[in-house]
Amino acid sequence: MTMILSNYSINQNTMALTSAAQIEYDTIVYERNRQLFIKKTPFQLIKQACLEAYSSYEGRRSAVMYQTNLRQKVPIPIDPVQNIYTFPTQSPSQFDCSWLFYHHIKSIHPHHLALGHAIHKSIITFKNEQQIPMRESYYQLEKQRQRTAICILQIASQQHQQLSL
């Protein structure tokens, strides 16, 4: 039997949040050793996680936009102290938007089918070798991953400069 939770706190084990079109739950959470089914949407969980880390989603997003000039599908440093960074696969306002957690991703590969058009255009492989198929293209996901890496480097550089003062 699938256990459905009413709430979930994003943590260092969170690898991905995917939207689920189910009556009983709205999100599938992928952790290192388990899957959870949550009654809140991925976007609600992201906003909650930012608040739990003493900021707001809007504040984190605005800061990244200011520092990087990114305007769409902005990576979110949920908790830089704990190294929790995530990025959306689509506009966060879209129902199908999933959130991938940067430090868990081992690789992204295109998904090829010999016949027909693939519903899933790419495959995410996490460091624990778990895989999830994604509807977004390899190019889109890799671009988001690179944008998140830039965000992480800029935050780390700024923290290093502040420590040097």
Side-chain angles (χ1 to χ4, degrees):
M1 182 175 141
T2 302
M3 185 160 70
I4 299 168
L5 304 172
S6 59
N7 204 358
Y8 174 78
S9 289
I10 290 170
N11 59 69
Q12 291 177 319
N13 292 320
T14 309
M15 299 188 312
L17 307 175
T18 61
S19 63
Q22 301 294 321
I23 293 171
E24 300 87 13
Y25 57 90
D26 296 305
T27 301
I28 301 170
V29 174
Y30 293 86
E31 282 193 348
R32 287 184 185 159
N33 299 312
R34 62 184 180 164
Q35 281 185 22
L36 302 168
F37 304 90
I38 314 298
K39 290 183 180 181
K40 291 185 176 182
T41 67
F43 196 32
Q44 288 172 322
L45 294 173
I46 294 294
K47 287 183 167 185
Q48 174 186 316
C50 290
L51 290 172
E52 289 172 356
Y54 296 93
S55 187
S56 67
Y57 169 81
E58 293 78 11
R60 298 260 191 227
R61 184 175 187 276
S62 294
V64 171
M65 288 170 62
Y66 177 80
Q67 295 290 342
T68 64
N69 290 319
L70 297 173
R71 296 289 174 253
Q72 297 178 337
K73 296 189 266 185
V74 176
I76 302 297
I78 288 181
D79 190 341
V81 173
Q82 292 191 50
N83 237 1
I84 301 175
Y85 294 85
T86 189
F87 60 89
T89 59
Q90 299 180 20
S91 168
S93 63
Q94 297 295 316
F95 170 78
D96 283 343
C97 179
S98 295
W99 293 81
L100 301 173
F101 289 76
Y102 180 85
H103 286 92
H104 288 285
I105 298 172
K106 178 180 179 181
S107 63
I108 303 170
H109 295 287
H111 182 246
H112 300 289
L113 280 182
L115 301 171
H117 182 68
I119 291 174
H120 298 108
K121 297 178 182 173
S122 58
I123 306 248
I124 303 287
T125 302
F126 295 104
K127 290 178 181 174
N128 68 353
E129 300 303 327
Q130 186 175 350
Q131 294 184 327
I132 57 172
M134 302 298 293
R135 292 180 183 264
E136 295 77 20
S137 72
Y138 163 79
Y139 172 79
Q140 287 175 298
L141 294 176
E142 194 57 48
K143 183 176 177 183
Q144 283 298 97
R145 184 179 182 196
Q146 290 170 3
R147 291 163 56 139
T148 307
I150 290 167
C151 175
I152 292 168
L153 290 172
Q154 287 185 324
I155 289 172
S157 174
Q158 186 176 12
Q159 289 173 339
H160 179 71
Q161 288 174 359
Q162 289 174 349
L163 290 174
S164 300
L165 297 178

